[in-house]
């Protein structure tokens, strides 16, 4: 099971393949996701201190570019596949 280390919340294990936004919520991290995980609003954006996932969905890439967001990712589009 992948391990997440969230600043201010600690480290916890999450199910392989679970969307990051859901894994965060299940472990007490209050994170918004107004569009329901459809990569339309950027309310679930997160920053990685280390080990940022390389994979990015086309929807995430397009929305981040359209909104001019740099240095952040959309947790609704990231699958937990590693620590």
């Amino acid at each position: 099971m992948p391990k997440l280390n969230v600043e201010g919340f600690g480290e916890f294990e999450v199910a392989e393949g679970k969307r990051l936004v859901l894994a965060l919520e299940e472990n007490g991290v209050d994170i918004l996701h107004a569009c329901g995980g459809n990569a339309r609003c950027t309310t679930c954006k997160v920053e990685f201190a280390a080990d940022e996932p390389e994979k990015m969905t086309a929807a995430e890439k397009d929305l981040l570019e359209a909104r001019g967001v740099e240095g952040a990712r959309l947790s609704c589009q990231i699958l937990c596949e590693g620590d």
Side-chain angles (χ1 to χ4, degrees):
M1 291 178 70
K3 292 180 184 175
L4 296 179
N5 188 334
V6 181
E7 188 175 308
F9 292 89
E11 183 177 281
F12 39 85
E13 290 186 339
V14 298
E16 178 87 22
K18 181 173 280 296
R19 291 195 181 268
L20 179 57
V21 69
L22 299 177
L24 292 169
E25 281 187 332
E26 288 175 1
N27 287 282
V29 181
D30 186 21
I31 188 164
L32 298 173
H33 54 108
C35 73
N38 295 303
R40 293 193 179 134
C41 66
T42 72
T43 58
C44 71
K45 66 184 179 231
V46 294
E47 294 180 7
F48 287 85
D51 302 320
E52 180 176 331
E54 292 181 23
K55 292 181 185 177
M56 183 181 287
T57 65
E60 179 184 16
K61 182 179 180 188
D62 291 347
L63 184 61
L64 292 175
E65 286 178 1
R67 299 269 176 106
V69 176
E70 295 181 15
R73 298 285 304 272
L74 300 182
S75 63
C76 72
Q77 297 297 296
I78 298 171
L79 299 179
C80 295
E81 298 178 326
D83 295 344

